[in-house]
Amino acid sequence: MKVIRAKDSCEAGAFAAELIAAQVKQKPDCVLGLATGSTPLDTYAQLIAAYRAGELDFSCVRTVNLDEYVGLGPDHDQSYAWFMRHNLFEFINIDPHNTHIPDGITADPDAECQRYDALIASLGGVDLQLLGIGPNAHIGFNEPGDAFIPETHVVKLTDSTIAANARFFASVDQVPRQAITMGIRAILQARKVVLIATGTGKAKAVCDAFWGPVTPLVPASILQLHPDFTLVADEDALSLTPSSN
Ligand code: PGA
């Protein structure tokens, strides 16, 4: 595991964007695994700036997103399809046909999960997977549990995740209770993994995940086993790690 220490979330976003930019330059038709949430916003802003400066070309890039809420279609403003369009895709020269997100309003979520894994395989797997981390150390919506779930699957969101995401909805009751998430296998099979963690709210999750034992009770801890894993974290998120004490 490599740790890149940033002074704040803006610098963390810049570091993560540099890693993604290097990947796109090295392999213009690379497959990027993308994440939603507040954490990657600085990274996406930096990528848009690099595109506008003529430094990056996304015309051949393919993307697969980690997850989507069950019940929200792409026109719902809290769907992850909406998030990706409005925070990245509309501002760069990516072909929308090359962007993939699980279908949250499918009539058959289990079939959608199988389709998504087959799609990732047909793209040749993920070259660089970008991740955030939940306060409970989830990655994507791989929530703490008895076992790591390898496949894309439908997940019942934990109370902690529903509470953490309620800030994006008018009330906690409106937060969907289920999501489709990429499983641990596709994440671990990504050739590079970059996880961004910022703020004191992530400090315990970071410490448990990367300075504690590998356990499905702390889903991100599995990344300790990945051969090319980079943690990009700000001082606040690293504040509980042994090296910071
Ligand atoms: P956040 O979410 O970036 O909004 O904190 C991260 C996550 O839940 O993976």
Side-chain angles (χ1 to χ4, degrees):
M1 172 173 96
K2 184 171 169 199
V3 180
I4 299 182
R5 185 178 282 265
K7 65 176 188 306
D8 55 25
S9 63
C10 184
E11 192 174 80
F15 287 147
E18 276 174 32
L19 296 173
I20 295 170
Q23 174 68 72
V24 171
K25 284 177 190 164
Q26 185 210 332
K27 184 177 176 188
D29 65 346
C30 65
V31 177
L32 298 178
L34 297 179
T36 53
S38 313
T39 308
L41 287 172
D42 286 316
T43 305
Y44 294 155
Q46 295 280 346
L47 291 175
I48 292 165
Y51 165 69
R52 287 183 173 153
E55 294 161 14
L56 278 181
D57 175 12
F58 291 90
S59 59
C60 297
V61 169
R62 285 89 48 82
T63 67
V64 284
N65 262 77
L66 281 168
D67 44 22
E68 181 59 283
Y69 287 118
V70 170
L72 301 192
D75 294 330
H76 190 290
D77 66 4
Q78 291 307 326
S79 73
Y80 290 157
W82 173 287
F83 176 101
M84 290 310 302
R85 288 201 310 278
H86 291 273
N87 289 295
L88 183 63
F89 296 154
E90 283 182 354
F91 303 103
I92 58 176
N93 66 334
I94 198 161
D95 179 345
H97 294 105
N98 285 340
T99 67
H100 305 283
I101 299 179
D103 177 3
I105 49 170
T106 174
D108 186 343
D110 290 330
E112 173 61 6
C113 292
Q114 288 176 20
R115 182 195 73 83
Y116 207 65
D117 278 336
L119 168 80
I120 295 168
S122 74
L123 295 173
V126 174
D127 288 298
L128 185 153
Q129 178 66 54
L130 182 67
L131 297 171
I133 185 170
N136 64 359
H138 72 195
I139 45 176
F141 275 129
N142 289 275
E143 299 281 35
D146 296 337
F148 294 108
I149 302 179
E151 303 85 15
T152 296
H153 57 283
V154 178
V155 64
K156 187 172 173 302
L157 302 182
T158 62
D159 291 344
S160 141
T161 296
I162 292 167
N165 290 3
R167 67 192 193 275
F168 300 115
F169 292 82
S171 77
V172 73
D173 298 337
Q174 291 182 18
V175 183
R177 268 33 189 179
Q178 289 187 315
I180 294 174
T181 184
M182 198 188 281
I184 291 296
R185 183 188 295 127
I187 294 172
L188 273 191
Q189 285 182 345
R191 286 172 274 280
K192 282 181 191 299
V193 177
V194 176
L195 184 145
I196 312 171
T198 57
T200 51
K202 303 296 173 66
K204 183 167 184 328
V206 166
C207 185
D208 290 348
F210 307 122
W211 279 264
V214 175
T215 162
L217 297 172
V218 183
S221 65
I222 195 77
L223 298 171
Q224 292 183 38
L225 305 181
H226 193 280
D228 190 346
F229 168 53
T230 303
L231 168 65
V232 180
D234 70 1
E235 299 291 347
D236 286 343
L238 290 169
S239 58
L240 294 180
T241 63
S243 53
S244 297
N245 294 324

